Amino acid sequence: MTGDDRKTSAYAHPERLVTTEWLAEQIEAGRVGGPDGIALLESDEDVLLYDTGHIPGALKIDWHLDLNDPVTRDYVDGARFAEVMGSRGIARDTTVVIYGDKSNWWAAYALWVFSLFGHEDVRLLDGGRAKWVAEGREVTRELPTPKQATYPVAERDDAPIRAFKDDVLAHLGKPLVDVRSPGEYSGELLHMPDYPQEGAMRGGHIPGAASVPWARAANDDGTFKSREDLEAIYLTEQGLSPDDDVVAYCRIGERSSHTWFVLTHLLGFESVRNYDGSWTEWGNAVRVPIEK
Amino acid sequence: MTATELPGPLAEIADDFRSASNDLKLQLLLEFSDELPALPERYAGQLDRLERVDECQTPLFLVVEVEQSSAAAERRVHLFFDAPAESPTTRGFAGILHAGLDGLSPEEVLAVPDDAPMRFGLAEAVSPLRLRGMAAMLARIKRQVREKSAA
C-alpha cells in the first residue's frame, strides 16, 4: 500500500477519491472511456484549459454550459442531464472520475451536481489537474470520441444536499460554514482577492456562520489533507460533529462544494447541504440579516 | 472611421469569431492563446513594471509602449502581456487584443469602442462573466496609451 492509498483508506468514504497513480493504471489497462469502463471528465474554471491538453481519454464538462440552465438560475433538469451524460458515453452505473483546475473547485462542484441527480459512483481525482501535470504524466490534445450511451431521465433531488435561501433562513442558529476568504467573511471584500467583483450589495456573512476558508482542507499540491488533519479543523477546532446538520456556502457555490465534499465524503457527516445561491444571493437579498 | 467601428485587424478577428460555431470559437481562442508572444527580455522577471488586471479570473499583467516619432502620425502602440499557461482563456483574450491592436496608432487604439469585447460572439461560448476580464484589459490599455502619448 502506498502512502497515498493509506491516506485515502482512512476517509469515511474512501471510494469517492482516486489517486493519480490509480488513474494512470486504469488508463494503462485501457479501462478509461465507454459505459463499461470509467468515464473521465475534466471540469475547470478556465473553459479552454481542457483544450490545451488533458488526461488521455478525458472528456470536457463545462459547469456553465453543461450543468446550468441557460434561462433559470438553476441546474439543468433530468432530461438535459441525461443528454449531457449520454453524449459522453455515461450510463447510470458508469464509474465517473472528475478532475479539474484550482484545487478541484469546479470538479467538486460538478460532482455535487451529479449527486443531485443521484449518480451513484462519482469520484474526484485527488490533487486534480495540477498534480497530474506536476508529476509529469501524459496530457494530450487528442479528443476522445465516446460512444453514445443511454442515460435515464433522473429527477433531481435537491433536498438532501442543497439549501435554498429560505432553508438557510430556517437554519439560522444551527451550524453554518462560510468557506470564503477572511476578507470576504469580515465584509471588507465583496469578492475573492484577485477575482472579478461579483456585485453583492453588502459585505459580511450569514449570522452565526463560522469562517473556515475552503483552502484549509487542502495541501499545497491541491490534494485533500489527511483525515486526522481535517478532524483537527472541523471537529476539534470548530466543534462540529458528524451528526450535525450543516450548511456550507461561499460566493456562487463552487468553493463550498469542495467543503461539502470534505465534510460528507472524507469525514462522513450525514447531513451537509451546499447553499449554492451563496453570497451573490444572500448579500443582495431583501430583508435577510447579515453580520459583519 | 466612426467611433463605433472596430479598427481593421480587430474587426477581421471579430468577424472570424462571429461566423464560427461555439466549438470553433473555442478553438480560435485557443490559437490566440498559443500565439500570445512571450514577454521580451527587457521585462523578464520585472512584473512590477507591468500593470496587473485584477478583473481577470487569474493574474494577468500588461504594459503598453508608445513608439515615439517626430511625426505624430507615425507613432505606434505596442502591447506586452504576461499570463500563465494554466489560464488559456485569459491568454486568449490577451492574444486577441495583441493581434488586433499592436502596431496601431494611439488614436486608433483610443477609438476602439469600450464594448469591443462583446462583439466577438463569445458570451455564449465562455460566459459574460469571463468576458469582463477582456473589457478590463482594454480599459487599462486605453488608459496607458492616453498617458503615454500625452507628451
Coordinates of all heavy atoms in Angstrom, one line a residue, chain A residues 20-84:
Chain A
T20 N -3.7 9.7 -8.5 CA -3.2 9.9 -9.8 C -2.6 8.5 -10.2 O -2.7 8.1 -11.4 CB -2.1 11.0 -9.9 OG1 -1.2 10.8 -8.8 CG2 -2.7 12.3 -9.8
E21 N -2.0 7.8 -9.3 CA -1.4 6.5 -9.5 C -2.4 5.5 -10.0 O -2.3 4.9 -11.1 CB -0.8 6.0 -8.2 CG 0.0 4.8 -8.3 CD 1.4 5.1 -8.9 OE1 2.0 6.0 -8.5 OE2 1.7 4.4 -9.9
W22 N -3.6 5.5 -9.3 CA -4.6 4.6 -9.7 C -5.2 4.9 -11.1 O -5.4 4.0 -11.9 CB -5.8 4.7 -8.6 CG -7.0 3.9 -8.9 CD1 -7.2 2.6 -8.5 CD2 -8.2 4.2 -9.6 NE1 -8.4 2.1 -8.9 CE2 -9.0 3.1 -9.6 CE3 -8.6 5.4 -10.3 CZ2 -10.3 3.1 -10.2 CZ3 -9.8 5.4 -10.9 CH2 -10.7 4.3 -10.8
L23 N -5.4 6.2 -11.3 CA -5.9 6.6 -12.6 C -5.0 6.2 -13.7 O -5.4 5.7 -14.8 CB -6.2 8.1 -12.6 CG -6.8 8.7 -13.9 CD1 -8.2 8.0 -14.2 CD2 -7.0 10.2 -13.9
A24 N -3.7 6.5 -13.5 CA -2.7 6.1 -14.5 C -2.8 4.6 -14.8 O -2.7 4.2 -16.0 CB -1.3 6.5 -14.1
E25 N -3.0 3.8 -13.8 CA -3.1 2.3 -14.0 C -4.3 2.0 -14.8 O -4.3 1.1 -15.7 CB -3.1 1.6 -12.7 CG -1.8 1.5 -12.0 CD -2.0 1.1 -10.5 OE1 -3.1 0.6 -10.1 OE2 -1.0 1.3 -9.7
Q26 N -5.4 2.7 -14.5 CA -6.7 2.4 -15.3 C -6.5 2.7 -16.7 O -7.0 2.0 -17.6 CB -7.8 3.2 -14.7 CG -8.1 2.9 -13.2 CD -8.3 1.5 -12.8 OE1 -9.1 0.8 -13.5 NE2 -7.5 1.0 -11.9
I27 N -5.8 3.9 -17.0 CA -5.6 4.3 -18.4 C -4.7 3.3 -19.1 O -5.0 2.8 -20.2 CB -5.0 5.7 -18.4 CG1 -6.0 6.7 -17.9 CG2 -4.6 6.1 -19.9 CD1 -5.4 8.1 -17.7
E28 N -3.7 2.9 -18.4 CA -2.7 1.9 -18.9 C -3.4 0.6 -19.3 O -3.2 0.0 -20.3 CB -1.7 1.7 -17.8 CG -0.5 0.7 -18.2 CD 0.4 1.4 -19.2 OE1 0.4 2.6 -19.3 OE2 1.1 0.6 -19.9
A29 N -4.4 0.2 -18.4 CA -5.1 -1.0 -18.6 C -6.3 -0.9 -19.6 O -7.0 -1.8 -19.8 CB -5.6 -1.5 -17.3
G30 N -6.4 0.3 -20.2 CA -7.5 0.5 -21.2 C -8.9 0.6 -20.6 O -9.8 0.3 -21.3
R31 N -9.0 0.9 -19.4 CA -10.3 0.9 -18.8 C -11.0 2.3 -18.8 O -12.1 2.4 -18.3 CB -10.3 0.4 -17.3 CG -10.1 -1.1 -17.2 CD -10.4 -1.7 -15.9 NE -9.3 -1.4 -14.9 CZ -8.3 -2.3 -14.7 NH1 -8.3 -3.4 -15.4 NH2 -7.3 -2.0 -13.9
V32 N -10.4 3.3 -19.4 CA -11.0 4.6 -19.4 C -11.7 4.9 -20.7 O -11.1 4.7 -21.8 CB -9.9 5.7 -19.1 CG1 -10.5 7.1 -19.4 CG2 -9.4 5.7 -17.7
G33 N -13.0 5.3 -20.6 CA -13.8 5.5 -21.8 C -14.8 4.5 -22.0 O -14.5 3.3 -21.9
G34 N -16.0 4.9 -22.3 CA -17.1 3.9 -22.6 C -17.9 3.5 -21.3 O -17.4 3.5 -20.2
P35 N -19.1 3.1 -21.6 CA -20.1 2.8 -20.5 C -19.6 1.6 -19.6 O -19.9 1.6 -18.4 CB -21.3 2.4 -21.2 CG -21.2 2.8 -22.6 CD -19.7 2.9 -22.9
D36 N -18.8 0.7 -20.1 CA -18.4 -0.4 -19.3 C -17.2 -0.1 -18.5 O -16.8 -0.9 -17.6 CB -18.1 -1.7 -20.2 CG -19.3 -2.0 -21.0 OD1 -20.4 -1.8 -20.6 OD2 -19.1 -2.4 -22.2
G37 N -16.5 1.0 -18.8 CA -15.3 1.3 -18.1 C -15.5 2.5 -17.2 O -16.5 2.7 -16.6
I38 N -14.5 3.3 -17.2 CA -14.5 4.5 -16.3 C -14.7 5.7 -17.3 O -14.0 5.8 -18.3 CB -13.2 4.7 -15.6 CG1 -13.1 3.5 -14.6 CG2 -13.1 6.0 -14.9 CD1 -11.6 3.2 -14.2
A39 N -15.6 6.6 -16.9 CA -15.7 7.9 -17.7 C -14.9 8.9 -16.9 O -15.0 9.1 -15.7 CB -17.1 8.3 -17.8
L40 N -14.0 9.6 -17.6 CA -13.1 10.6 -17.0 C -13.5 11.9 -17.5 O -13.6 12.2 -18.8 CB -11.6 10.3 -17.4 CG -10.5 11.2 -16.8 CD1 -10.5 11.1 -15.3 CD2 -9.2 10.7 -17.4
L41 N -13.8 12.8 -16.6 CA -14.3 14.2 -17.0 C -13.4 15.3 -16.4 O -13.0 15.2 -15.3 CB -15.7 14.4 -16.5 CG -16.8 13.4 -17.0 CD1 -18.1 13.8 -16.3 CD2 -17.0 13.5 -18.5
E42 N -13.1 16.3 -17.2 CA -12.4 17.4 -16.7 C -13.4 18.6 -16.6 O -14.1 19.0 -17.5 CB -11.2 17.8 -17.7 CG -10.5 19.1 -17.2 CD -9.1 19.2 -17.8 OE1 -8.5 18.2 -18.3 OE2 -8.6 20.4 -17.8
S43 N -13.4 19.2 -15.4 CA -14.3 20.3 -15.1 C -13.5 21.5 -14.6 O -13.0 21.4 -13.5 CB -15.4 19.9 -14.1 OG -16.2 21.0 -13.8
D44 N -13.3 22.5 -15.4 CA -12.4 23.6 -15.0 C -13.1 24.9 -14.9 O -14.1 25.2 -15.4 CB -11.3 23.8 -16.1 CG -10.4 22.6 -16.2 OD1 -10.0 22.1 -15.2 OD2 -10.1 22.3 -17.4
E45 N -12.4 25.8 -14.1 CA -12.9 27.2 -14.1 C -12.6 27.8 -15.5 O -13.4 28.5 -16.1 CB -12.2 28.0 -13.0 CG -12.6 29.4 -12.9 CD -11.9 30.4 -13.7 OE1 -10.6 30.3 -13.8 OE2 -12.5 31.3 -14.3
D46 N -11.4 27.6 -16.0 CA -11.0 28.1 -17.3 C -11.5 27.2 -18.4 O -11.1 26.0 -18.6 CB -9.4 28.2 -17.4 CG -9.0 29.0 -18.6 OD1 -9.4 28.7 -19.7 OD2 -8.4 30.1 -18.4
V47 N -12.4 27.7 -19.2 CA -13.1 26.9 -20.2 C -12.2 26.3 -21.3 O -12.5 25.4 -22.0 CB -14.2 27.7 -21.0 CG1 -15.4 27.7 -20.2 CG2 -13.7 29.1 -21.4
L48 N -11.0 26.9 -21.5 CA -10.1 26.5 -22.5 C -9.0 25.5 -22.1 O -8.3 24.9 -22.8 CB -9.4 27.7 -23.1 CG -10.0 28.4 -24.3 CD1 -9.0 29.4 -24.8 CD2 -10.4 27.5 -25.4
L49 N -8.9 25.4 -20.7 CA -7.8 24.6 -20.2 C -7.8 23.2 -20.7 O -6.7 22.7 -21.1 CB -7.8 24.7 -18.7 CG -6.6 24.2 -17.9 CD1 -5.3 24.9 -18.5 CD2 -6.7 24.5 -16.4
Y50 N -8.9 22.6 -20.8 CA -9.0 21.2 -21.3 C -8.5 21.1 -22.7 O -7.7 20.2 -23.0 CB -10.5 20.8 -21.3 CG -10.8 19.5 -22.0 CD1 -10.7 18.3 -21.4 CD2 -11.1 19.5 -23.4 CE1 -11.0 17.1 -22.1 CE2 -11.4 18.3 -24.1 CZ -11.3 17.1 -23.5 OH -11.5 16.0 -24.1
D51 N -8.8 22.1 -23.5 CA -8.3 22.1 -24.9 C -6.8 22.3 -25.1 O -6.3 21.9 -26.1 CB -9.1 23.2 -25.7 CG -10.6 23.0 -25.5 OD1 -11.1 23.6 -24.6 OD2 -11.2 22.4 -26.3
T52 N -6.2 22.8 -24.0 CA -4.7 23.0 -24.2 C -4.0 21.6 -23.9 O -2.8 21.5 -24.1 CB -4.1 24.0 -23.1 OG1 -4.3 23.4 -21.8 CG2 -4.9 25.3 -23.2
G53 N -4.7 20.6 -23.5 CA -4.1 19.3 -23.2 C -4.8 18.8 -22.0 O -5.0 19.5 -21.0
H54 N -5.2 17.5 -22.0 CA -6.0 16.9 -20.9 C -5.4 15.5 -20.7 O -4.7 15.0 -21.5 CB -7.5 16.9 -21.2 CG -7.8 16.4 -22.6 ND1 -7.9 17.2 -23.7 CD2 -7.8 15.1 -23.1 CE1 -8.1 16.5 -24.8 NE2 -8.1 15.2 -24.4
I55 N -5.9 14.9 -19.6 CA -5.5 13.5 -19.4 C -6.1 12.6 -20.5 O -7.3 12.8 -20.8 CB -6.0 13.0 -18.0 CG1 -5.4 14.0 -16.9 CG2 -5.7 11.6 -17.7 CD1 -5.9 13.6 -15.4
P56 N -5.3 11.7 -21.0 CA -5.8 10.9 -22.1 C -7.1 10.2 -21.8 O -7.3 9.6 -20.8 CB -4.7 9.8 -22.3 CG -3.4 10.5 -21.8 CD -3.9 11.4 -20.7
G57 N -8.1 10.4 -22.7 CA -9.4 9.7 -22.5 C -10.4 10.6 -21.8 O -11.6 10.3 -21.7
A58 N -9.9 11.8 -21.3 CA -10.9 12.7 -20.6 C -11.8 13.4 -21.5 O -11.3 13.9 -22.6 CB -10.1 13.6 -19.7
L59 N -13.0 13.6 -21.1 CA -13.9 14.5 -21.8 C -14.2 15.7 -21.0 O -14.1 15.7 -19.8 CB -15.3 13.7 -22.0 CG -15.2 12.5 -23.0 CD1 -16.3 11.5 -22.7 CD2 -15.2 13.0 -24.4
K60 N -14.6 16.8 -21.7 CA -14.8 18.0 -21.0 C -16.2 18.2 -20.5 O -17.1 17.8 -21.3 CB -14.4 19.2 -22.0 CG -14.7 20.6 -21.6 CD -14.2 21.5 -22.7 CE -14.5 22.9 -22.5 NZ -13.9 23.7 -23.6
I61 N -16.4 18.7 -19.4 CA -17.7 19.1 -18.9 C -17.6 20.5 -18.4 O -16.7 20.8 -17.6 CB -18.3 18.1 -17.9 CG1 -19.8 18.4 -17.6 CG2 -17.5 18.0 -16.6 CD1 -20.6 17.2 -17.2
D62 N -18.4 21.4 -18.9 CA -18.4 22.8 -18.5 C -19.5 23.1 -17.6 O -20.7 23.0 -18.0 CB -18.4 23.7 -19.8 CG -18.3 25.2 -19.5 OD1 -19.0 25.7 -18.6 OD2 -17.5 25.8 -20.1
W63 N -19.2 23.5 -16.4 CA -20.3 23.6 -15.4 C -21.3 24.7 -15.9 O -22.5 24.6 -15.6 CB -19.7 24.0 -14.0 CG -19.1 25.4 -14.0 CD1 -17.9 25.7 -14.4 CD2 -19.8 26.6 -13.6 NE1 -17.7 27.1 -14.3 CE2 -18.8 27.6 -13.8 CE3 -21.0 26.9 -13.1 CZ2 -19.1 29.0 -13.5 CZ3 -21.3 28.3 -12.8 CH2 -20.3 29.3 -13.0
H64 N -20.8 25.7 -16.6 CA -21.7 26.8 -17.0 C -22.6 26.3 -18.2 O -23.8 26.6 -18.2 CB -20.8 28.0 -17.4 CG -21.6 29.2 -17.6 ND1 -22.0 29.6 -18.9 CD2 -22.0 30.1 -16.7 CE1 -22.6 30.8 -18.7 NE2 -22.7 31.1 -17.4
L65 N -22.0 25.7 -19.2 CA -22.7 25.3 -20.4 C -23.5 24.0 -20.3 O -24.5 23.8 -20.8 CB -21.8 25.3 -21.6 CG -21.1 26.6 -22.0 CD1 -20.2 26.3 -23.2 CD2 -22.1 27.7 -22.3
D66 N -22.9 23.1 -19.5 CA -23.5 21.7 -19.5 C -24.4 21.5 -18.3 O -25.3 20.7 -18.3 CB -22.4 20.7 -19.4 CG -21.6 20.7 -20.7 OD1 -22.2 20.8 -21.8 OD2 -20.3 20.5 -20.6
L67 N -24.1 22.2 -17.1 CA -24.8 21.9 -15.9 C -25.8 23.0 -15.5 O -26.6 22.7 -14.6 CB -23.8 21.5 -14.8 CG -22.9 20.3 -15.1 CD1 -21.9 20.1 -13.9 CD2 -23.7 19.1 -15.3
N68 N -25.6 24.2 -16.0 CA -26.5 25.3 -15.6 C -27.6 25.4 -16.7 O -27.3 25.3 -17.9 CB -25.8 26.6 -15.6 CG -25.1 26.8 -14.2 OD1 -25.2 26.0 -13.3 ND2 -24.5 27.9 -14.0
D69 N -28.8 25.7 -16.2 CA -29.9 26.0 -17.2 C -29.6 27.4 -17.8 O -29.3 28.3 -17.0 CB -31.2 26.0 -16.4 CG -32.4 26.2 -17.3 OD1 -32.6 27.4 -17.8 OD2 -33.1 25.2 -17.6
P70 N -29.7 27.5 -19.1 CA -29.4 28.8 -19.7 C -30.4 29.9 -19.3 O -30.0 31.1 -19.5 CB -29.5 28.5 -21.2 CG -30.3 27.3 -21.4 CD -30.1 26.5 -20.1
V71 N -31.6 29.6 -18.9 CA -32.6 30.7 -18.6 C -32.8 30.8 -17.1 O -32.6 31.9 -16.5 CB -33.9 30.4 -19.3 CG1 -34.9 31.4 -19.0 CG2 -33.7 30.2 -20.8
T72 N -33.2 29.7 -16.4 CA -33.5 29.8 -15.0 C -32.1 29.8 -14.3 O -31.2 29.2 -14.7 CB -34.2 28.6 -14.5 OG1 -35.1 28.2 -15.5 CG2 -34.9 28.8 -13.2
R73 N -32.0 30.5 -13.1 CA -30.8 30.4 -12.4 C -30.8 29.1 -11.6 O -31.1 29.1 -10.4 CB -30.6 31.6 -11.5 CG -29.1 31.7 -11.0 CD -29.0 32.6 -9.7 NE -27.7 32.7 -9.2 CZ -27.1 31.7 -8.6 NH1 -27.6 30.4 -8.7 NH2 -25.9 31.8 -8.1
D74 N -30.6 28.0 -12.2 CA -30.7 26.7 -11.6 C -29.9 25.7 -12.4 O -29.3 26.1 -13.5 CB -32.2 26.3 -11.7 CG -32.5 25.2 -10.7 OD1 -31.6 24.8 -10.0 OD2 -33.7 24.8 -10.7
Y75 N -29.8 24.5 -11.9 CA -29.1 23.5 -12.7 C -30.1 22.9 -13.8 O -31.3 23.2 -13.7 CB -28.6 22.4 -11.7 CG -27.7 23.0 -10.7 CD1 -28.1 23.3 -9.4 CD2 -26.5 23.5 -11.1 CE1 -27.3 24.0 -8.5 CE2 -25.6 24.1 -10.2 CZ -26.1 24.4 -8.9 OH -25.3 25.1 -8.1
V76 N -29.5 22.2 -14.7 CA -30.3 21.6 -15.8 C -31.3 20.6 -15.2 O -31.2 20.2 -14.0 CB -29.4 20.8 -16.8 CG1 -28.6 21.8 -17.5 CG2 -28.5 19.8 -16.1
D77 N -32.3 20.2 -16.0 CA -33.3 19.2 -15.5 C -32.8 17.8 -15.9 O -31.8 17.7 -16.5 CB -34.7 19.6 -16.1 CG -34.7 19.5 -17.6 OD1 -33.8 19.0 -18.2 OD2 -35.7 20.0 -18.1
G78 N -33.6 16.9 -15.5 CA -33.3 15.5 -15.7 C -33.0 15.1 -17.2 O -32.1 14.3 -17.5
A79 N -33.9 15.7 -18.0 CA -33.8 15.4 -19.5 C -32.4 15.9 -20.0 O -31.7 15.2 -20.8 CB -34.9 16.0 -20.2
R80 N -32.1 17.1 -19.7 CA -30.9 17.7 -20.2 C -29.7 17.0 -19.6 O -28.7 16.7 -20.3 CB -30.9 19.2 -19.9 CG -29.6 19.9 -20.2 CD -29.4 20.2 -21.7 NE -28.1 20.7 -22.0 CZ -27.2 20.2 -22.9 NH1 -27.5 19.2 -23.6 NH2 -26.0 20.8 -23.0
F81 N -29.8 16.6 -18.3 CA -28.7 15.9 -17.7 C -28.4 14.6 -18.4 O -27.3 14.2 -18.7 CB -28.9 15.7 -16.2 CG -27.8 15.1 -15.4 CD1 -26.7 15.9 -15.1 CD2 -27.8 13.8 -15.0 CE1 -25.6 15.4 -14.4 CE2 -26.8 13.3 -14.3 CZ -25.6 14.0 -14.0
A82 N -29.5 13.9 -18.7 CA -29.4 12.6 -19.4 C -28.7 12.8 -20.8 O -27.9 12.0 -21.2 CB -30.8 12.0 -19.6
E83 N -29.0 13.9 -21.4 CA -28.4 14.2 -22.7 C -26.9 14.4 -22.6 O -26.1 13.9 -23.3 CB -28.9 15.5 -23.3 CG -30.0 15.4 -24.3 CD -30.5 16.8 -24.7 OE1 -29.7 17.6 -25.1 OE2 -31.7 17.1 -24.5
V84 N -26.5 15.2 -21.5 CA -25.1 15.5 -21.3 C -24.4 14.2 -21.0 O -23.3 14.0 -21.4 CB -25.0 16.5 -20.1 CG1 -23.5 16.7 -19.7 CG2 -25.5 17.9 -20.6

